[in-house]
Amino acid sequence: MAVLATDNFNRADVNPIGSPWTATNAGANRNFRIVSNTAQEQLLAQDAAVFNTSVTWPNNHYSQAKVTVTGVDGGTGPGCGVRMATSDNYYRLVLDHASSGNAELAKFVSGSYTQLWSRTQAFTDGATFYLEVQGTTLIAKHNGTAIGASATDSSLSTGSPGLTYSSPASSASLDDWEGGDFSSGFPGGDEGGLWYMSIERG
Amino acid sequence: MSIYLLPLIGTGTKEDPRRPAYIQADAPGVEYSLMDYGTEPVCLMHANPSLAQHLLLIAHADVVALPANLDQQIGAQQAVVQNALQTLNIPENWVQSSFTYRQVLRVVALIFQFMQRLNFVTVDRLFGSGITLSTRFNQLPQAMRQQLIAAANSLGYDTSSLSGTNTLRSILKTLADQSNLLEVFLGEEVL
């Protein structure tokens, strides 16, 4: 795996969140904002989703962030998204603190919302949640451990990773976001990459 | 644990998401995994309901529960399986009595995967008014013909079956057979 972009949101409060983030839906209050060095939805009563534009994202990628939420509705709260694009296309994992069914994987295809699975995953605020897509396989993780079995879905084939929020919640925030791909890379990190580039350039 | 073939309800809005029918009423709080048939109102669901909840679910005439042992042959149930699939506009004439339920499920799941991609290409239903498994490609509206080809192209499939008098029954099966997916995940089952 290789990290392709990160954002710790440590900057002045701003609304909307701005570059390098783009909302999947151009409607009112569907974006994110920066509040107290975290990423938060613009409005607790409105779903929101933004994708990262720092790099040209490969089709296979992951998205992860630290999740903090107050809410027990089940299938609501903040989370991660993959293969996100405008016109409301994306897969999302969202979480709250309901005693059962608090983790939900869903897809939005041209804005149409389908619940792919509902599972239970207790967690403490600040836990890292992760969603990856490789080919047609979706895998969700909590602090590095899979949340149940993988899922197969063929609706979306391209897009970028990002942040998501499903209303309602009493409060919600995301921090220390990271996105990446599954390239093996070369040993030696950046130096290995430079070595590879030099070979390519002859 | 069980796999069900059942209606998918919901309009896809925040207030009314697309989801398996009956689960909220008959098995509230039960975890499930869903695989939709594109825009068609049908889905496969993997869930772990209690026996009482399972009995409530299968009491609905439009809910089909697969046997717990997916690796048994269909045998004498061949006609039952074919009828269940055909009723839901899922190609069925390829099902043989020697197939296991898992083998049948895998093909059905791959047909569903194609229909999911078609759903990305168009929000229109393939099996709209008057369209059945027996409808020929050249009887489809021009826009839907193009959308089927676009969906097949996006999956890297050969599109030669999308022509002339080929029926949707044969087209969907031919396209599914081209899938290179080694594993299809539905809940805890690998097909």
Side-chain angles (χ1 to χ4, degrees):
Chain A
M1 288 174 38
V3 178
L4 297 181
T6 62
D7 195 337
N8 60 16
F9 309 116
N10 289 342
R11 49 191 179 268
D13 289 1
V14 63
N15 186 5
I17 191 170
S19 180
W21 299 96
T22 297
T24 61
N25 184 318
N29 299 313
R30 305 301 295 269
N31 209 315
F32 270 69
R33 57 184 174 148
I34 301 290
V35 180
S36 303
N37 297 326
T38 67
Q40 297 185 16
E41 69 295 328
Q42 285 187 308
L43 192 66
L44 284 167
Q46 182 73 271
D47 282 21
V50 294
F51 58 91
N52 183 271
T53 58
S54 297
V55 299
T56 299
W57 287 93
N59 296 335
N60 297 327
H61 54 253
Y62 70 88
S63 175
Q64 72 173 38
K66 293 177 179 173
V67 170
T68 297
V69 60
T70 303
V72 293
D73 282 3
T76 67
C80 307
V82 293
R83 291 207 178 143
M84 305 177 74
T86 55
S87 301
D88 253 351
N89 290 298
Y90 56 98
Y91 296 104
R92 81 174 182 193
L93 169 70
V94 294
L95 306 117
D96 62 25
H97 288 298
S99 58
S100 66
N102 68 311
E104 181 189 281
L105 179 69
K107 66 177 173 181
F108 287 76
V109 179
S110 301
S112 182
Y113 168 29
T114 304
Q115 297 172 330
L116 296 178
W117 57 243
S118 171
R119 295 176 183 166
T120 301
Q121 178 61 65
F123 68 99
T124 56
D125 284 338
T128 297
F129 282 91
Y130 165 105
L131 180 62
E132 74 168 50
V133 60
Q134 291 201 65
T136 58
T137 302
L138 293 148
I139 299 175
K141 295 181 180 178
H142 162 238
N143 286 342
T145 301
I147 306 171
S150 305
T152 299
D153 193 278
S154 295
S155 300
L156 307 174
S157 58
T158 62
S160 305
L163 315 172
T164 61
Y165 169 76
S166 174
S167 63
S170 299
S171 69
S173 66
L174 294 162
D175 204 358
D176 295 336
W177 177 83
E178 176 184 305
D181 69 2
F182 306 101
S183 60
S184 56
F186 279 74
D190 290 341
E191 291 180 5
L194 290 170
W195 176 69
Y196 173 74
M197 288 170 64
S198 67
I199 291 175
E200 284 291 293
R201 289 172 181 169
Chain B
M1 66 188 71
S2 295
I3 290 180
Y4 304 85
L5 184 60
L6 76 169
L8 180 145
I9 60 171
T11 56
T13 63
K14 173 70 179 177
E15 298 74 23
D16 189 23
R18 301 173 76 231
R19 62 197 186 278
Y22 309 122
I23 185 89
Q24 287 176 325
D26 293 346
V30 168
E31 298 182 7
Y32 67 84
S33 298
L34 172 153
M35 183 181 293
D36 62 284
Y37 190 25
T39 53
E40 304 303 315
V42 180
C43 65
L44 284 166
M45 178 182 75
H46 179 280
N48 299 307
S50 67
L51 176 59
Q53 292 169 329
H54 171 76
L55 293 174
L56 284 173
L57 284 168
I58 63 173
H60 300 282
D62 51 3
V63 174
V64 177
L66 279 80
N69 177 12
L70 295 177
D71 296 311
Q72 63 181 293
Q73 288 187 330
I74 287 173
Q77 294 299 306
Q78 179 187 14
V80 174
V81 171
Q82 288 180 327
N83 288 337
L85 295 177
Q86 183 180 23
T87 300
L88 300 170
N89 288 320
I90 302 167
E92 84 297 353
N93 60 344
W94 53 273
V95 175
Q96 298 179 20
S97 60
S98 60
F99 288 177
T100 66
Y101 284 93
R102 189 181 303 278
Q103 288 173 312
V104 173
L105 258 183
R106 175 178 165 81
V107 175
V108 169
L110 292 175
I111 292 170
F112 278 30
Q113 295 301 304
F114 173 77
M115 291 291 279
Q116 289 175 1
R117 182 59 56 84
L118 180 64
N119 182 198
F120 176 70
V121 174
T122 175
V123 297
D124 293 336
R125 281 189 63 189
L126 174 59
F127 295 102
S129 65
I131 307 297
T132 70
L133 288 170
S134 298
T135 300
R136 299 190 301 267
F137 186 76
N138 59 13
Q139 294 176 313
L140 293 170
Q142 177 65 20
M144 182 55 75
R145 280 184 261 170
Q146 293 172 339
Q147 289 153 352
L148 281 165
I149 291 171
N153 278 330
S154 76
L155 287 164
Y157 291 172
D158 177 272
T159 58
S160 59
S161 66
L162 292 158
S163 63
T165 58
N166 288 331
T167 63
L168 287 176
R169 178 180 282 107
S170 70
I171 287 171
L172 292 177
K173 174 63 166 56
T174 300
L175 293 172
D177 287 344
Q178 296 180 55
S179 173
N180 60 3
L181 293 182
L182 297 177
E183 295 177 315
V184 180
F185 300 99
L186 178 60
E188 295 157 21
E189 293 291 347
V190 181
L191 308 173

